[in-house]
Amino acid sequence: MVIVSLEAVEAPPVIRTALEAGCHVFAEKPSCTRAEDFEKLTRLAQQKHRHLMLAVANRSHSPVREARRLIKTGRLGKIYGVEVHLVTDQTRLKSAEYRKSWFCSKARAGGGPAHLGRHSLA
Protein backbone atom coordinates (compact mmCIF):
# COMPACT_ATOMS: atom_id res chain seq x y z
CA MET A 1 0.00 0.00 0.00
CA VAL A 2 1.15 3.52 -0.78
CA ILE A 3 0.16 6.64 1.15
CA VAL A 4 0.07 9.75 -1.04
CA SER A 5 0.15 13.07 0.80
CA LEU A 6 1.05 15.69 -1.80
CA GLU A 7 -0.36 18.90 -3.21
CA ALA A 8 -3.42 18.05 -5.26
CA VAL A 9 -1.74 19.19 -8.47
CA GLU A 10 1.16 16.76 -7.91
CA ALA A 11 -0.72 13.73 -6.59
CA PRO A 12 -2.41 12.21 -9.70
CA PRO A 13 0.77 10.98 -11.47
CA VAL A 14 2.07 9.48 -8.22
CA ILE A 15 -1.26 7.76 -7.59
CA ARG A 16 -1.29 6.47 -11.18
CA THR A 17 2.25 5.09 -10.87
CA ALA A 18 1.40 3.32 -7.62
CA LEU A 19 -1.75 1.76 -9.09
CA GLU A 20 0.11 0.66 -12.22
CA ALA A 21 2.73 -0.97 -9.96
CA GLY A 22 -0.05 -2.98 -8.30
CA CYS A 23 -0.27 -1.05 -5.04
CA HIS A 24 -3.36 -0.11 -3.08
CA VAL A 25 -3.42 3.69 -2.59
CA PHE A 26 -4.50 5.77 0.38
CA ALA A 27 -4.55 9.41 -0.77
CA GLU A 28 -5.07 12.46 1.35
CA LYS A 29 -7.70 14.90 0.16
CA PRO A 30 -7.62 16.88 -1.97
CA SER A 31 -5.81 14.45 -4.26
CA CYS A 32 -6.64 16.06 -7.60
CA THR A 33 -7.42 19.53 -8.88
CA ARG A 34 -10.25 18.22 -11.06
CA ALA A 35 -12.85 15.55 -10.35
CA GLU A 36 -12.24 14.12 -13.84
CA ASP A 37 -8.67 13.28 -12.84
CA PHE A 38 -9.83 11.29 -9.82
CA GLU A 39 -12.44 9.55 -11.97
CA LYS A 40 -9.67 8.27 -14.29
CA LEU A 41 -7.68 7.04 -11.31
CA THR A 42 -10.78 5.31 -9.94
CA ARG A 43 -11.27 3.48 -13.24
CA LEU A 44 -7.60 2.41 -13.24
CA ALA A 45 -7.91 1.14 -9.67
CA GLN A 46 -10.97 -0.90 -10.65
CA GLN A 47 -9.17 -2.35 -13.69
CA LYS A 48 -6.19 -3.31 -11.53
CA HIS A 49 -8.42 -4.61 -8.71
CA ARG A 50 -6.71 -2.23 -6.28
CA HIS A 51 -8.21 -0.09 -3.53
CA LEU A 52 -8.06 3.66 -4.06
CA MET A 53 -8.99 5.28 -0.77
CA LEU A 54 -9.47 8.97 -0.10
CA ALA A 55 -8.86 10.28 3.41
CA VAL A 56 -11.65 12.53 4.57
CA ALA A 57 -11.17 11.94 8.28
CA ASN A 58 -14.09 13.47 10.15
CA ARG A 59 -14.67 10.56 12.50
CA SER A 60 -12.62 12.22 15.25
CA HIS A 61 -14.70 15.42 15.26
CA SER A 62 -16.88 15.82 18.37
CA PRO A 63 -20.22 16.13 16.49
CA VAL A 64 -19.44 12.99 14.48
CA ARG A 65 -18.53 11.06 17.63
CA GLU A 66 -21.76 12.21 19.27
CA ALA A 67 -23.81 11.16 16.24
CA ARG A 68 -22.15 7.74 16.33
CA ARG A 69 -22.93 7.42 20.05
CA LEU A 70 -26.59 8.33 19.48
CA ILE A 71 -26.90 5.80 16.67
CA LYS A 72 -25.12 3.00 18.57
CA THR A 73 -27.27 3.49 21.67
CA GLY A 74 -30.46 3.38 19.63
CA ARG A 75 -31.55 6.85 20.76
CA LEU A 76 -32.50 7.75 17.18
CA GLY A 77 -34.37 4.56 16.40
CA LYS A 78 -33.70 2.46 13.31
CA ILE A 79 -31.58 4.39 10.78
CA TYR A 80 -32.66 4.06 7.15
CA GLY A 81 -30.50 6.77 5.67
CA VAL A 82 -28.32 9.70 6.60
CA GLU A 83 -27.59 13.04 4.97
CA VAL A 84 -24.74 15.03 6.46
CA HIS A 85 -23.88 18.70 6.04
CA LEU A 86 -20.55 19.84 7.38
CA VAL A 87 -20.18 23.45 8.44
CA THR A 88 -16.61 24.48 9.12
CA ASP A 89 -14.89 27.44 10.66
CA GLN A 90 -13.46 29.66 7.94
CA THR A 91 -11.52 32.09 10.17
CA ARG A 92 -8.23 30.71 8.82
CA LEU A 93 -9.05 32.36 5.49
CA LYS A 94 -8.23 35.72 7.05
CA SER A 95 -4.67 34.65 7.85
CA ALA A 96 -2.12 36.05 5.37
CA GLU A 97 0.07 32.97 5.90
CA TYR A 98 -2.81 30.59 5.10
CA ARG A 99 -3.79 32.61 2.01
CA LYS A 100 -0.25 32.15 0.66
CA SER A 101 -0.38 28.37 1.11
CA TRP A 102 -1.12 25.90 -1.69
CA PHE A 103 -4.55 25.18 -0.16
CA CYS A 104 -5.68 28.63 -1.39
CA SER A 105 -4.45 28.15 -4.93
CA LYS A 106 -7.12 26.78 -7.26
CA ALA A 107 -4.42 25.68 -9.71
CA ARG A 108 -2.64 23.67 -7.01
CA ALA A 109 -5.51 22.46 -4.79
CA GLY A 110 -8.55 22.36 -7.07
CA GLY A 111 -11.79 23.19 -5.34
CA GLY A 112 -15.52 23.32 -5.82
CA PRO A 113 -18.04 20.47 -5.49
CA ALA A 114 -15.43 17.74 -5.92
CA HIS A 115 -14.00 18.84 -2.59
CA LEU A 116 -17.41 19.02 -0.90
CA GLY A 117 -17.26 22.79 -0.60
CA ARG A 118 -14.68 22.51 2.17
CA HIS A 119 -11.99 24.60 0.56
CA SER A 120 -12.68 28.25 -0.07
CA LEU A 121 -10.18 29.34 -2.65
CA ALA A 122 -8.76 32.80 -3.30
Side-chain angles (χ1 to χ4, degrees):
M1 182 177 98
V2 173
I3 297 172
V4 178
S5 181
L6 296 168
E7 289 185 19
V9 72
E10 295 179 12
V14 175
I15 294 170
R16 174 173 293 286
T17 299
L19 290 170
E20 288 173 346
C23 295
H24 297 292
V25 177
F26 184 73
E28 192 168 353
K29 74 127 189 115
S31 60
C32 294
T33 57
R34 300 173 331 127
E36 298 83 27
D37 294 335
F38 199 75
E39 184 179 352
K40 291 175 190 173
L41 294 170
T42 300
R43 281 198 303 270
L44 177 60
Q46 290 170 341
Q47 291 167 359
K48 296 283 188 176
H49 304 287
R50 300 289 91 191
H51 295 293
L52 174 55
M53 299 161 281
L54 186 60
V56 185
N58 287 314
R59 68 180 171 271
S60 63
H61 291 225
S62 296
V64 175
R65 288 195 321 260
E66 177 61 9
R68 182 173 192 259
R69 186 189 71 75
L70 290 171
I71 291 168
K72 286 188 78 152
T73 62
R75 298 268 324 255
L76 301 178
K78 185 172 181 171
I79 304 296
Y80 293 97
V82 176
E83 181 175 330
V84 177
H85 297 268
L86 182 63
V87 179
T88 61
D89 180 352
Q90 301 295 315
T91 56
R92 70 184 181 281
L93 299 179
K94 295 179 181 180
S95 161
E97 184 176 321
Y98 180 81
R99 293 181 65 77
K100 291 177 187 173
S101 74
W102 71 269
F103 291 108
C104 286
S105 167
K106 186 166 184 151
R108 293 168 67 189
H115 296 297
L116 305 174
R118 294 200 19 226
H119 295 286
S120 298
L121 301 173

Coordinates of all heavy atoms in Angstrom, one line a residue, residues 8-54:
A8 N -2.5 18.7 -4.3 CA -3.4 18.1 -5.3 C -2.9 18.1 -6.7 O -3.2 17.1 -7.5 CB -4.8 18.8 -5.2
V9 N -2.2 19.1 -7.1 CA -1.7 19.2 -8.5 C -0.6 18.2 -8.8 O -0.5 17.7 -9.9 CB -1.3 20.6 -8.8 CG1 0.0 21.0 -8.1 CG2 -1.2 20.9 -10.3
E10 N 0.1 17.7 -7.7 CA 1.2 16.8 -7.9 C 0.8 15.3 -7.7 O 1.5 14.4 -8.0 CB 2.3 17.1 -7.0 CG 2.9 18.5 -7.3 CD 4.1 18.8 -6.4 OE1 4.5 18.0 -5.6 OE2 4.5 20.0 -6.4
A11 N -0.3 15.1 -7.0 CA -0.7 13.7 -6.6 C -1.1 12.8 -7.7 O -0.7 11.6 -7.7 CB -1.8 13.8 -5.5
P12 N -1.9 13.2 -8.7 CA -2.4 12.2 -9.7 C -1.3 11.3 -10.4 O -1.5 10.1 -10.4 CB -3.2 13.1 -10.7 CG -3.6 14.2 -9.9 CD -2.5 14.5 -9.0
P13 N -0.2 11.9 -10.8 CA 0.8 11.0 -11.5 C 1.4 10.0 -10.5 O 1.7 8.8 -10.9 CB 1.8 11.9 -12.1 CG 1.6 13.3 -11.5 CD 0.2 13.3 -11.0
V14 N 1.5 10.4 -9.2 CA 2.1 9.5 -8.2 C 1.1 8.4 -7.9 O 1.4 7.2 -7.8 CB 2.4 10.3 -6.9 CG1 2.9 9.3 -5.8 CG2 3.5 11.3 -7.3
I15 N -0.2 8.7 -7.8 CA -1.3 7.8 -7.6 C -1.3 6.8 -8.8 O -1.4 5.6 -8.6 CB -2.6 8.4 -7.4 CG1 -2.6 9.2 -6.1 CG2 -3.8 7.4 -7.4 CD1 -3.8 10.2 -5.9
R16 N -1.3 7.3 -10.0 CA -1.3 6.5 -11.2 C -0.1 5.5 -11.2 O -0.3 4.3 -11.4 CB -1.3 7.3 -12.4 CG -1.1 6.5 -13.7 CD -1.3 7.3 -15.0 NE -2.6 7.9 -15.1 CZ -3.7 7.1 -15.5 NH1 -3.6 5.9 -15.7 NH2 -4.9 7.7 -15.6
T17 N 1.1 6.0 -10.9 CA 2.3 5.1 -10.9 C 2.1 4.0 -9.8 O 2.4 2.8 -10.1 CB 3.5 5.9 -10.6 OG1 3.7 6.9 -11.6 CG2 4.8 5.1 -10.5
A18 N 1.6 4.3 -8.7 CA 1.4 3.3 -7.6 C 0.4 2.3 -8.0 O 0.6 1.1 -7.8 CB 1.0 4.0 -6.3
L19 N -0.7 2.7 -8.6 CA -1.7 1.8 -9.1 C -1.2 0.9 -10.2 O -1.4 -0.3 -10.2 CB -3.0 2.5 -9.6 CG -3.8 3.2 -8.5 CD1 -4.9 4.1 -9.2 CD2 -4.5 2.2 -7.6
E20 N -0.5 1.5 -11.1 CA 0.1 0.7 -12.2 C 1.1 -0.3 -11.7 O 1.3 -1.4 -12.3 CB 0.7 1.6 -13.3 CG -0.3 2.3 -14.1 CD 0.2 3.4 -15.0 OE1 1.4 3.8 -14.9 OE2 -0.6 3.8 -15.9
A21 N 1.8 0.0 -10.6 CA 2.7 -1.0 -10.0 C 2.0 -2.0 -9.1 O 2.7 -2.9 -8.5 CB 3.7 -0.2 -9.1
G22 N 0.7 -2.0 -9.0 CA 0.0 -3.0 -8.3 C -0.3 -2.7 -6.8 O -0.6 -3.6 -6.1
C23 N -0.1 -1.4 -6.4 CA -0.3 -1.0 -5.0 C -1.7 -0.6 -4.8 O -2.3 0.1 -5.6 CB 0.7 0.1 -4.7 SG 2.4 -0.4 -4.7
H24 N -2.2 -0.8 -3.6 CA -3.4 -0.1 -3.1 C -2.9 1.3 -2.7 O -1.7 1.5 -2.4 CB -3.9 -0.8 -1.8 CG -4.4 -2.2 -2.1 ND1 -5.5 -2.5 -2.8 CD2 -3.9 -3.4 -1.6 CE1 -5.7 -3.8 -2.8 NE2 -4.7 -4.3 -2.1
V25 N -3.8 2.3 -2.8 CA -3.4 3.7 -2.6 C -4.4 4.3 -1.6 O -5.6 4.3 -1.7 CB -3.4 4.5 -3.9 CG1 -3.1 6.0 -3.6 CG2 -2.4 3.9 -4.9
F26 N -3.8 5.0 -0.6 CA -4.5 5.8 0.4 C -4.0 7.2 0.2 O -2.9 7.5 0.4 CB -4.2 5.3 1.8 CG -5.0 6.0 2.9 CD1 -6.3 5.7 3.0 CD2 -4.4 6.9 3.7 CE1 -7.0 6.4 4.0 CE2 -5.1 7.6 4.7 CZ -6.4 7.3 4.9
A27 N -4.9 8.0 -0.4 CA -4.5 9.4 -0.8 C -5.2 10.4 0.1 O -6.4 10.3 0.4 CB -4.9 9.7 -2.2
E28 N -4.5 11.4 0.5 CA -5.1 12.5 1.3 C -5.8 13.4 0.5 O -5.4 13.7 -0.7 CB -3.9 13.2 2.1 CG -4.4 14.1 3.2 CD -3.3 14.6 4.1 OE1 -2.2 14.1 3.9 OE2 -3.6 15.4 4.9
K29 N -6.9 13.9 0.9 CA -7.7 14.9 0.2 C -7.2 16.3 0.4 O -6.7 16.6 1.5 CB -9.2 14.8 0.5 CG -9.6 15.4 1.8 CD -10.6 16.4 1.6 CE -10.9 17.1 2.9 NZ -10.6 18.5 2.8
P30 N -7.2 17.2 -0.6 CA -7.6 16.9 -2.0 C -6.5 16.2 -2.7 O -5.3 16.4 -2.5 CB -7.9 18.3 -2.6 CG -6.9 19.2 -1.8 CD -6.9 18.6 -0.4
S31 N -6.8 15.2 -3.6 CA -5.8 14.4 -4.3 C -5.8 14.8 -5.7 O -4.9 14.2 -6.5 CB -6.1 13.0 -4.1 OG -7.3 12.6 -4.6
C32 N -6.6 15.6 -6.2 CA -6.6 16.1 -7.6 C -7.2 17.5 -7.7 O -7.9 17.9 -6.8 CB -7.5 15.2 -8.5 SG -7.0 13.5 -8.6
T33 N -6.9 18.2 -8.7 CA -7.4 19.5 -8.9 C -8.7 19.5 -9.6 O -9.5 20.4 -9.6 CB -6.4 20.5 -9.6 OG1 -6.1 19.9 -10.9 CG2 -5.2 20.7 -8.8
R34 N -9.0 18.4 -10.3 CA -10.3 18.2 -11.1 C -10.9 16.9 -10.8 O -10.2 15.9 -10.7 CB -10.0 18.3 -12.6 CG -9.4 19.7 -13.0 CD -9.0 19.7 -14.5 NE -8.6 18.4 -15.0 CZ -9.1 17.9 -16.1 NH1 -10.0 18.6 -16.8 NH2 -8.7 16.8 -16.6
A35 N -12.2 16.8 -10.6 CA -12.9 15.6 -10.3 C -12.6 14.5 -11.5 O -12.5 13.3 -11.2 CB -14.4 15.8 -10.2
E36 N -12.5 15.0 -12.7 CA -12.2 14.1 -13.8 C -10.9 13.3 -13.7 O -10.8 12.2 -14.1 CB -12.2 14.9 -15.2 CG -13.5 15.6 -15.5 CD -13.6 17.0 -14.8 OE1 -12.6 17.6 -14.5 OE2 -14.7 17.4 -14.6
D37 N -9.9 14.0 -13.1 CA -8.7 13.3 -12.8 C -8.8 12.1 -11.8 O -8.3 11.0 -12.0 CB -7.6 14.2 -12.3 CG -7.2 15.3 -13.3 OD1 -7.4 15.1 -14.5 OD2 -6.8 16.4 -12.9
F38 N -9.6 12.4 -10.8 CA -9.8 11.3 -9.8 C -10.7 10.2 -10.4 O -10.5 9.0 -10.1 CB -10.5 11.8 -8.5 CG -10.3 10.9 -7.4 CD1 -9.1 10.8 -6.7 CD2 -11.3 10.2 -6.9 CE1 -8.9 10.0 -5.6 CE2 -11.2 9.3 -5.9 CZ -10.0 9.2 -5.2
E39 N -11.6 10.6 -11.3 CA -12.4 9.5 -12.0 C -11.6 8.6 -12.8 O -11.8 7.4 -12.8 CB -13.5 10.2 -12.9 CG -14.4 9.3 -13.5 CD -15.5 10.0 -14.4 OE1 -15.5 11.2 -14.4 OE2 -16.2 9.3 -15.1
K40 N -10.6 9.1 -13.5 CA -9.7 8.3 -14.3 C -8.9 7.3 -13.4 O -8.7 6.2 -13.7 CB -8.7 9.1 -15.1 CG -9.4 9.9 -16.2 CD -8.3 10.8 -16.9 CE -9.0 11.8 -17.8 NZ -8.1 12.8 -18.3
L41 N -8.4 7.9 -12.2 CA -7.7 7.0 -11.3 C -8.6 6.0 -10.7 O -8.1 4.8 -10.5 CB -7.1 7.9 -10.2 CG -6.0 8.9 -10.7 CD1 -5.7 9.9 -9.6 CD2 -4.8 8.2 -11.2
T42 N -9.8 6.3 -10.5 CA -10.8 5.3 -9.9 C -11.0 4.2 -10.9 O -11.0 3.0 -10.6 CB -12.1 6.0 -9.6 OG1 -11.9 7.0 -8.7 CG2 -13.1 5.0 -9.1
R43 N -11.1 4.5 -12.2 CA -11.3 3.5 -13.2 C -10.0 2.6 -13.3 O -10.1 1.4 -13.4 CB -11.6 4.1 -14.6 CG -13.0 4.5 -14.8 CD -13.4 4.8 -16.2 NE -12.5 5.7 -16.9 CZ -12.8 7.0 -16.9 NH1 -13.8 7.5 -16.3 NH2 -11.9 7.9 -17.6
L44 N -8.8 3.2 -13.2 CA -7.6 2.4 -13.2 C -7.5 1.5 -12.0 O -7.2 0.3 -12.2 CB -6.4 3.3 -13.3 CG -5.0 2.7 -13.2 CD1 -4.8 1.7 -14.4 CD2 -3.9 3.7 -13.2
A45 N -7.9 2.0 -10.9 CA -7.9 1.1 -9.7 C -8.9 -0.1 -9.8 O -8.5 -1.2 -9.5 CB -8.3 2.0 -8.4
Q46 N -10.0 0.2 -10.4 CA -11.0 -0.9 -10.6 C -10.4 -1.9 -11.6 O -10.5 -3.1 -11.4 CB -12.3 -0.3 -11.2 CG -13.0 0.4 -10.1 CD -14.2 1.2 -10.6 OE1 -14.3 1.5 -11.8 NE2 -15.1 1.6 -9.7
Q47 N -9.8 -1.4 -12.7 CA -9.2 -2.4 -13.7 C -8.1 -3.2 -13.1 O -7.9 -4.4 -13.4 CB -8.6 -1.6 -14.9 CG -9.6 -0.9 -15.7 CD -9.0 0.1 -16.7 OE1 -7.8 0.4 -16.7 NE2 -9.9 0.7 -17.5
K48 N -7.3 -2.6 -12.2 CA -6.2 -3.3 -11.5 C -6.6 -4.1 -10.3 O -5.8 -4.7 -9.6 CB -5.1 -2.3 -11.1 CG -4.5 -1.6 -12.3 CD -3.5 -2.5 -13.0 CE -2.7 -1.8 -14.0 NZ -1.7 -2.6 -14.6
H49 N -7.9 -4.0 -9.9 CA -8.4 -4.6 -8.7 C -7.6 -4.2 -7.5 O -7.2 -5.0 -6.6 CB -8.4 -6.1 -8.8 CG -9.2 -6.6 -10.0 ND1 -10.5 -6.6 -10.1 CD2 -8.7 -7.1 -11.2 CE1 -10.9 -7.1 -11.3 NE2 -9.9 -7.4 -12.0
R50 N -7.4 -2.9 -7.4 CA -6.7 -2.2 -6.3 C -7.7 -1.3 -5.6 O -8.6 -0.7 -6.2 CB -5.5 -1.4 -6.7 CG -4.4 -2.2 -7.5 CD -3.6 -3.1 -6.6 NE -4.3 -4.4 -6.6 CZ -4.0 -5.4 -5.7 NH1 -3.1 -5.2 -4.8 NH2 -4.6 -6.6 -5.8
H51 N -7.4 -1.1 -4.3 CA -8.2 -0.1 -3.5 C -7.6 1.3 -3.7 O -6.4 1.5 -3.6 CB -8.2 -0.4 -2.0 CG -8.9 -1.7 -1.7 ND1 -10.2 -1.9 -1.8 CD2 -8.4 -2.8 -1.2 CE1 -10.5 -3.1 -1.5 NE2 -9.4 -3.7 -1.1
L52 N -8.5 2.3 -4.0 CA -8.1 3.7 -4.1 C -8.9 4.4 -3.0 O -10.1 4.5 -3.2 CB -8.3 4.3 -5.4 CG -8.0 5.8 -5.6 CD1 -6.6 6.2 -5.1 CD2 -8.3 6.2 -7.0
M53 N -8.3 4.7 -1.9 CA -9.0 5.3 -0.8 C -8.7 6.8 -0.6 O -7.5 7.2 -0.8 CB -8.6 4.5 0.5 CG -8.9 3.0 0.4 SD -8.0 2.0 1.6 CE -6.4 1.9 0.7
L54 N -9.6 7.5 -0.3 CA -9.5 9.0 -0.1 C -9.7 9.3 1.4 O -10.8 9.0 1.9 CB -10.4 9.7 -1.0 CG -10.3 11.2 -1.1 CD1 -8.9 11.7 -1.5 CD2 -11.4 11.8 -2.0

